[in-house]
Amino acid sequence: MEYKSISLQQQEIPYKDFTGYNTEDIAAKFKAVIEGEGPVVDDFLELKVLKSYSIFQRGSLIAPFLRGVLLSVGAVSTVQVDCDGAEHLVFWPERFRGNESAIESLDFDGFTDYRPSGQKDDMEEGTFRSIADFPQIEVFNAMKDVLSDGKSLKRVDLLTETNHALGFTVKGRQIRLTLESVLKAGIANGSFVYNRRAGTIRLR
């Protein structure tokens, strides 16, 4: 499944004037991206909307204002913790409301897709995502897909194949830690079965 980026109206607003701009217009853009691209991680979402105003960094002046507008939208959201312990919100289209707890525990059958990122230079504008921009449930779904034919894999092989399924050719620290965290969660919730003697992992 490809990541489909929606187009936002482009305009230019000076950085110093942004916090005085029409919040309804900003909120409308947030809603459009959430419904069109969700699930979408907070940082990726905020920066996409900011770029539509020709602003390319949040900074201490804009960041709290932007987050306030985003939260005022009242969109469906879940919480995930990244590999460095930072907490992020993931925003979902309205049809997922009521499933937040299942999504957070990676025990939700209503969303089985994942959207590979690929290499930045080869991606359509607005579609490249680093591993930090991935909702963890997409990483989880990719891992399940790798194991979907019933095979069992050694841990290192599972992580490598999942890394490739997500479109990455190099497995840096952040990717490795994210994959390990998702694998650990999948074992904990019973989605993956770990055979300690053989050192292999398979689907439940």
Side-chain angles (χ1 to χ4, degrees), residues 107-124:
D107 190 21
F108 180 57
D109 294 330
F111 180 78
T112 58
D113 297 322
Y114 64 94
R115 300 162 292 180
S117 188
Q119 302 307 297
K120 189 171 186 178
D121 292 341
D122 300 330
M123 300 294 290
E124 179 186 344

Side-chain angles (χ1 to χ4, degrees), residues 48-82:
K48 180 183 177 80
V49 169
L50 266 187
K51 287 176 183 177
S52 74
Y53 297 105
S54 297
I55 299 173
F56 299 94
Q57 60 181 5
R58 284 166 290 190
S60 58
L61 177 66
I62 283 180
F65 168 76
L66 194 64
R67 180 53 60 101
V69 177
L70 174 54
L71 294 179
S72 74
V73 169
V76 180
S77 66
T78 55
V79 177
Q80 69 181 32
V81 179
D82 70 19

Side-chain angles (χ1 to χ4, degrees), residues 142-144 146-147 153-163 179 183 192 201-202:
M143 200 169 286
K144 288 198 298 183
V146 167
L147 294 171
L153 288 176
K154 296 284 189 180
R155 173 180 162 279
V156 65
D157 294 330
L158 174 58
L159 298 184
T160 297
E161 289 195 30
T162 303
N163 184 54
L179 293 174
L183 175 58
F192 302 132
I201 297 156
R202 62 174 174 81

Side-chain angles (χ1 to χ4, degrees), residues 66-177:
L66 194 64
R67 180 53 60 101
V69 177
L70 174 54
L71 294 179
S72 74
V73 169
V76 180
S77 66
T78 55
V79 177
Q80 69 181 32
V81 179
D82 70 19
C83 65
D84 292 315
E87 191 173 279
H88 291 273
L89 293 176
V90 181
F91 291 89
W92 294 76
E94 185 62 29
R95 66 183 181 276
F96 292 99
R97 189 175 295 279
N99 297 294
E100 293 88 341
S101 295
I103 291 169
E104 288 175 355
S105 64
L106 300 182
D107 190 21
F108 180 57
D109 294 330
F111 180 78
T112 58
D113 297 322
Y114 64 94
R115 300 162 292 180
S117 188
Q119 302 307 297
K120 189 171 186 178
D121 292 341
D122 300 330
M123 300 294 290
E124 179 186 344
E125 178 67 26
T127 62
F128 172 77
R129 296 182 297 166
S130 70
I131 193 64
D133 298 322
F134 272 79
Q136 288 176 2
I137 195 168
E138 286 193 52
V139 179
F140 178 67
N141 289 342
M143 200 169 286
K144 288 198 298 183
D145 188 51
V146 167
L147 294 171
S148 62
D149 62 359
K151 63 185 176 184
S152 297
L153 288 176
K154 296 284 189 180
R155 173 180 162 279
V156 65
D157 294 330
L158 174 58
L159 298 184
T160 297
E161 289 195 30
T162 303
N163 184 54
H164 292 161
L166 292 172
F168 300 111
T169 56
V170 177
K171 188 165 56 182
R173 171 188 172 276
Q174 192 173 37
I175 292 176
R176 176 177 55 82
L177 292 178

Side-chain angles (χ1 to χ4, degrees), residues 23-57:
T23 58
E24 290 185 4
D25 185 64
I26 301 170
K29 288 186 175 182
F30 276 134
K31 290 178 182 177
V33 177
I34 293 168
E35 287 299 318
E37 300 184 21
V40 56
V41 177
D42 51 10
D43 286 347
F44 186 87
L45 172 60
E46 290 182 0
L47 288 172
K48 180 183 177 80
V49 169
L50 266 187
K51 287 176 183 177
S52 74
Y53 297 105
S54 297
I55 299 173
F56 299 94
Q57 60 181 5

